[in-house]
Amino acid sequence: MKSKYISPLVCGFTASVLTIVPGLKEIGCCLIIPFAAGFSLFLFQKANNNNEKISVKDGLFFGLMTGIFSAVFSTALEILFTGIFHTNEFVKSLPQVEAMFKSFAPQILLDQVFQMYKNMAKEIRTNGFSLIYTIYFFAATSITSVIFGLIGGLLGMAFINRRNLNSDK
Amino acid sequence: MHYQKFNLIFLVLVIIWCFGMLSPVMLQRINSYEIVKPFINQMYSTVCHQQQAKTIALFNEEILVCSRCAGIYFGVLFGIISSFFIRIKNNLLKFVWISSIVVLSDVVAVNFGFYDYSKIIAIASGLFFGLTIILFLENEFKFFNLLNKNEK
């Protein structure tokens, strides 16, 4: 029995590359992570020569793992590109947020959050790395990757079970 | 009973997701939203390219995903709501393939320059895809009795 972690690792890595590379992201869009999660189930069954019915538990497990691996690798790639270019989408979009922010009445909590954003951008511009930005990016990415991974796992399970049923007939 | 519970939970999650997608439009008058917007935007950018030219704008604010993604999410939402009222007994796999081919054809045609990107086509194809995929999933769950705790 091959490890249950290998195919989600491979598919999660591929999904992270596809979601980070701008040209490729346009084509797959929101289907990349669900497809990767479904494909990880398919690869696992192929690797084990197994045609048994996949349970919801397995579908969710593979989806979850693909989502987590995808988020981890996306964060790693983001750190790499930010380190190389000393900028990223967050830094580029900050002036827009600042313009909006200046039109508001001052509020202590919002001021503190915005100050944190500015510090993150400053660290990225000077050092090419910000720990708080890394945590921020991982948190945002992991929520979405896990949700879409779980959906992909369930869809992959449904497709594979149907395919196995049709091939048994 | 399991299916109704499952559907209800899924419906709530999809409504939250769609609300987040439309949050720039719905919460544009709330000051504190602007400060969390970069985080929410980052969340949605994980699963969408968010190109300005391909995004719908409502009341001068752009939503957080492209037209096709918006179509898919609304299709899923309509699919779940309709599954409370409609019972489909046929295998929907064919429709899933058809809707996938429609979406893929549009993506390929636009990227190869056969015609210009149309938000209406993108929304319509996404809607069809989202609707068929969720009804297919729902049907498969029932067919394979996947929510039965004594499965296997």
Side-chain angles (χ1 to χ4, degrees):
Chain A
M1 184 73 139
K2 299 249 167 59
S3 169
K4 277 185 168 185
Y5 295 93
I6 295 171
S7 62
L9 184 81
V10 172
C11 293
F13 175 72
T14 313
S16 70
V17 172
L18 293 177
T19 51
I20 288 284
V21 179
L24 295 172
K25 193 178 182 179
E26 248 177 74
I27 300 167
C29 211
C30 60
L31 303 177
I32 294 172
I33 296 172
F35 186 80
F39 197 66
S40 74
L41 264 173
F42 174 76
L43 284 182
F44 178 72
Q45 278 222 323
K46 276 279 170 202
N48 289 298
N49 273 333
N50 181 1
N51 274 344
E52 277 178 28
K53 188 176 95 174
I54 298 167
S55 64
V56 175
K57 201 175 139 193
D58 278 346
L60 290 174
F61 174 80
F62 277 81
L64 178 75
M65 292 318 296
T66 308
I68 291 171
F69 283 129
S70 170
V72 169
F73 286 120
S74 292
T75 309
L77 289 170
E78 179 72 10
I79 292 170
L80 180 73
F81 289 131
T82 305
I84 293 169
F85 298 111
H86 283 237
T87 188
N88 55 31
E89 284 304 314
F90 172 78
V91 176
K92 286 177 196 164
S93 67
L94 205 60
Q96 259 183 311
V97 181
E98 191 167 17
M100 288 295 290
F101 196 72
K102 277 179 180 167
S103 64
F104 303 151
Q107 288 174 38
I108 295 166
L109 182 68
L110 297 188
D111 281 344
Q112 281 176 345
V113 177
F114 189 66
Q115 197 53 47
M116 192 183 76
Y117 283 172
K118 278 170 89 169
N119 289 341
M120 277 156 60
K122 194 181 165 191
E123 278 182 346
I124 288 167
R125 277 195 218 98
T126 50
N127 308 326
F129 177 78
S130 161
L131 181 65
I132 302 170
Y133 175 73
T134 306
I135 295 166
Y136 164 94
F137 184 88
F138 180 70
T141 309
S142 57
I143 292 168
T144 324
S145 298
V146 165
I147 294 170
F148 278 68
L150 290 172
I151 295 167
L154 291 178
L155 282 170
M157 172 205 70
F159 275 107
I160 293 166
N161 284 345
R162 174 60 62 180
R163 189 189 65 115
N164 291 346
L165 182 82
N166 289 346
S167 61
D168 285 347
K169 276 180 186 175
Chain B
M1 186 59 196
H2 273 110
Y3 299 109
Q4 295 293 343
K5 257 192 209 170
F6 175 78
N7 267 0
L8 209 61
I9 294 166
F10 207 57
L11 177 66
V12 172
L13 293 175
V14 174
I15 288 171
I16 293 169
W17 184 257
C18 289
F19 180 78
M21 175 179 87
L22 297 170
S23 60
V25 180
M26 297 167 91
L27 304 176
Q28 60 177 304
R29 286 168 195 274
I30 299 170
N31 293 358
S32 49
Y33 173 71
E34 287 303 325
I35 213 77
V36 292
K37 193 181 170 185
F39 184 79
I40 297 173
N41 193 42
Q42 182 63 56
M43 270 176 62
Y44 282 85
S45 83
T46 308
V47 284
C48 184
H49 54 72
Q50 298 178 318
Q51 282 183 8
Q52 213 170 12
K54 296 180 178 178
T55 307
I56 309 162
L58 299 166
F59 305 106
N60 297 325
E61 279 287 339
E62 279 164 5
I63 64 169
L64 294 179
V65 294
C66 70
S67 306
R68 196 181 322 279
C69 289
I72 293 173
Y73 302 143
F74 281 123
V76 169
L77 183 65
F78 293 144
I80 298 171
I81 293 169
S82 63
S83 70
F84 283 105
F85 309 104
I86 304 166
R87 292 270 172 272
I88 301 167
K89 286 183 180 169
N90 296 334
N91 175 15
L92 291 170
L93 192 60
K94 272 182 205 162
F95 290 97
V96 174
W97 288 125
I98 293 168
S99 65
S100 307
I101 290 166
V102 170
V103 168
L104 199 69
S105 308
D106 186 40
V107 172
V108 170
V110 169
N111 281 292
F112 281 89
F114 294 129
Y115 58 79
D116 290 333
Y117 183 85
S118 158
K119 287 179 185 175
I120 294 169
I121 295 174
I123 291 173
S125 60
L127 205 69
F128 181 39
F129 180 74
L131 190 72
T132 53
I133 204 96
I134 201 67
L135 290 176
F136 165 74
L137 188 63
E138 162 108 12
N139 245 20
E140 294 303 293
F141 264 72
K142 283 178 188 163
F143 183 82
F144 287 103
N145 206 14
L146 286 167
L147 291 179
N148 186 346
K149 283 179 183 169
N150 301 321
E151 67 171 308
K152 276 197 169 177

